[in-house]
Amino acid sequence: MGTVTALVASGHPLQRAGAWAVAVIAERDGPGRVSAADLDAMASVLVADVLAAATAPKDSGGRYDWWKVLFALYPNSKATHSKRPSDPNVLRPDIERLFAPDAPQSGPVRPCTFCGAGTAVVWAKSNLPLYDTSKALNTLPPGVPGWPVCRGCRIAMWALPYGAWVTAGSATVLSCQEEGAEREFARRNVRRARRVMQAGFTGMPAGARPELVVLAALRDATDGLCATTLWSFKNDNQEPWLRVTRTRRAVPAFLATVDGNAPLRCGWHLLRRALARPDAGKSGASEAARLLFEAEDGRSRPLLGQLHRLLADPDGAWSVDDREALVRLAFTYAEEVFGMETDLEPVATLIADWIAQDGSRGRLAEYRRAALNDYQLGALMVKAYTRLQLDGNKTPLAGPELWKPLIGRQPRAWEQRMLLFALVSVMLQRRGVAISGKEPDPQQEREIEELAEQPAFGVDAEDEYDAYEMERA
């Protein structure tokens, strides 16, 4: 007979995140190495932490903040119910029962909902996160008391907040093709969960986000190609929600390319600085990391779109070197992540010659307005081509055959139009054409030069927290 595995990381993202948390806390290489004794130890950890949170007074800081985490995930459980006892000794039997081994002959054995192992225990909405809204009366067939959940998966589903990026009202878990990234994500979050229990959310650095932790985990992906999915959700009795964001498989290769190239590192640090909003509690590193994730509902800011906004901003004070670094970052992302191979220099030269010919900012403003619209851009290029021909331009001009990928309804035409604007802006600034009304800050230039010597993704969530602790000290 084969050995029965105490814990399996299934394909369900919430169970899988909890399974990795158990493995990290048990100091095992993976969920499959977790033993029955490890599950006993994890059950003891869960019982102690849950009781401490469930009976904590509201002014207790970290312990009560951890109760908020539990309430956001298990709002109908014994640990979070409004009528729960305040005495931990009274509440303890109910919490211990959640994670106890199956009692002999306790009922019919069914396959576990998550991993398929045989179990006689069934759980309903009160103990499982991410259920339907209150408008759905029941998701189970008539007469079925709950979902079969084996002991390993019961423990994993309550170890979920340790392996997830949690706030007082939501949680985010990671699914990844690279197990090493899942392990690293869980490791960092387990460490952060302990800090939340000690210091509460007010003792954590503002602005840090799960995307930043994912980039740090993906940075060392072994095969260079690794798709990731973030599942962010809230589960309460009012209106639960789920938001899914993904990175493309080539993002780890892009991260490695940026980290290994000084101009690209400079471009990434410039992007981070431009996105930082200290007054709003937004970390530039976290906001930049979010740009590498695409929302399933299409409501996310793409990296190329953000770079275009920075380069097209008439108030953007970029030096030639800084603008070139941002443009190189945009082209590298298009090449590495989208697999785009573009030769936009002839068309960019056409537009730059036409704008520079006038000597005023009127033509540049006209191009700004038309840059992303296929019809308006086509009309502008006809105007530029005709004007330069009539004025006896000596150099060969990019003709309509080169415009087609930019103005036709073709895949990636929108991205190509943004890259075209980026290239035109660099050409104009090299020629001395005023792109904005502001001059670069020399002090900022020096700081960015120093930052470019550091890894682009070196400031991760742990480093950020440690720096915060040092500032407080």
Side-chain angles (χ1 to χ4, degrees):
M1 295 179 62
T3 302
V4 177
T5 304
L7 180 63
V8 173
S10 73
H12 193 287
L14 306 189
Q15 188 273 356
R16 191 174 184 87
W20 272 109
V22 174
V24 168
I25 293 171
E27 298 182 351
R28 303 300 180 190
D29 292 338
R33 298 297 183 92
V34 171
S35 66
D38 293 329
L39 285 185
D40 291 340
M42 187 67 209
S44 298
V45 170
L46 287 173
V47 171
D49 290 346
V50 169
L51 287 175
T55 59
K58 291 185 178 181
D59 60 354
S60 62
R63 287 188 299 158
Y64 187 70
D65 277 2
W66 193 248
W67 179 85
K68 294 177 184 177
V69 171
L70 299 179
F71 181 74
L73 301 184
Y74 322 97
N76 300 302
S77 70
K78 297 284 188 180
T80 57
H81 198 279
S82 60
K83 295 183 179 180
R84 67 190 182 279
S86 58
D87 185 344
N89 293 322
V90 176
L91 182 59
R92 180 181 295 276
D94 287 334
I95 304 304
E96 288 180 338
R97 198 175 297 119
L98 294 174
F99 314 117
D102 289 14
Q105 301 177 345
S106 58
V109 175
R110 304 180 179 89
C112 174
T113 302
F114 300 102
C115 71
T119 182
V121 177
V122 293
W123 270 8
K125 178 179 180 179
S126 59
N127 294 323
L128 291 171
L130 199 57
Y131 255 77
D132 288 335
T133 69
S134 56
K135 297 175 184 178
L137 297 180
N138 198 349
T139 56
L140 293 167
V144 178
W147 302 97
V149 189
C150 71
R151 188 193 187 205
C153 290
R154 295 200 302 273
I155 289 175
M157 292 303 278
W158 275 70
L160 162 66
Y162 298 83
W165 181 273
V166 293
T167 70
S170 66
T172 300
V173 301
L174 171 72
S175 296
C176 189
Q177 295 173 326
E178 173 90 5
E179 285 195 350
E182 290 183 317
R183 181 191 305 111
E184 185 66 9
F185 186 73
R187 185 188 69 81
R188 292 168 185 272
N189 288 334
V190 166
R191 181 180 178 184
R192 181 173 179 269
R194 290 301 183 197
R195 286 168 170 167
V196 172
M197 292 181 199
Q198 292 172 2
F201 287 109
T202 57
M204 303 298 289
R209 293 187 55 88
E211 291 88 352
L212 191 61
V213 182
V214 175
L215 291 197
L218 287 179
R219 186 176 47 195
D220 301 322
T222 56
D223 62 1
L225 294 175
C226 178
T228 65
T229 302
L230 281 178
W231 311 77
S232 301
F233 65 96
K234 180 183 76 168
N235 178 65
D236 61 17
N237 288 328
Q238 298 178 2
E239 199 67 29
W241 52 259
L242 170 67
R243 185 172 185 263
V244 182
T245 58
R246 296 185 174 92
T247 64
R248 295 175 181 268
R249 292 184 70 238
V251 162
F254 170 74
L255 300 180
T257 301
V258 172
D259 241 354
N261 185 286
L264 293 177
R265 290 198 302 271
C266 178
W268 188 261
H269 287 301
L270 286 166
L271 174 63
R272 283 175 43 173
R273 171 159 292 194
L275 294 174
R277 296 289 184 274
D279 55 334
K282 290 187 177 182
S283 154
S286 293
E287 293 302 306
R290 291 183 68 187
L291 298 174
L292 297 177
F293 289 80
E294 300 175 15
E296 192 177 55
D297 59 8
R299 298 181 181 179
S300 55
R301 289 186 300 167
L303 177 67
L304 290 182
Q306 182 61 51
L307 289 172
H308 173 79
R309 281 188 281 274
L310 294 178
L311 293 169
D313 183 2
D315 294 326
W318 306 112
S319 68
V320 175
D321 290 341
D322 287 351
R323 188 174 293 273
E324 287 183 346
L326 290 169
V327 171
R328 183 177 292 193
L329 183 67
F331 272 83
T332 301
Y333 183 78
E335 293 166 4
E336 293 279 1
V337 177
F338 293 144
M340 294 172 59
E341 296 181 4
T342 57
D343 181 14
L344 299 175
E345 190 159 344
V347 182
T349 301
L350 169 70
I351 297 175
D353 287 346
W354 174 71
I355 293 173
Q357 181 189 59
D358 180 70
S360 70
R361 300 184 67 181
R363 288 186 179 179
L364 176 58
E366 185 178 351
Y367 176 48
R368 273 198 179 98
R369 291 191 297 269
L372 299 186
N373 183 283
D374 55 351
Y375 176 80
Q376 293 179 16
L377 181 60
L380 183 141
M381 286 194 287
V382 169
K383 181 191 294 187
Y385 184 83
T386 304
R387 183 72 266 167
L388 291 173
Q389 271 196 327
L390 291 174
D391 290 345
N393 192 286
K394 304 297 184 185
T395 59
L397 301 176
E401 71 282 355
L402 297 179
W403 312 343
K404 189 176 180 180
L406 295 156
I407 61 177
R409 298 299 175 91
Q410 297 185 22
R412 302 294 177 203
W414 186 68
E415 287 82 359
Q416 291 206 58
R417 289 195 288 272
M418 285 190 288
L419 294 176
L420 177 66
F421 183 93
L423 192 54
V424 169
S425 70
V426 166
M427 289 182 172
L428 290 174
Q429 195 159 353
R430 285 175 187 158
R431 300 182 190 191
V433 176
I435 303 296
S436 71
K438 292 184 178 180
E439 292 295 325
D441 182 355
Q443 176 63 29
Q444 180 174 311
E445 293 289 296
R446 287 191 293 271
E447 290 175 0
I448 292 296
E449 287 177 4
E450 294 175 1
L451 283 173
E453 299 301 318
Q454 304 175 11
F457 311 101
V459 182
D460 58 28
E462 288 185 10
D463 299 327
E464 197 169 306
Y465 184 86
D466 292 340
Y468 176 76
E469 287 292 282
M470 290 174 65
E471 287 176 6
R472 292 179 68 196

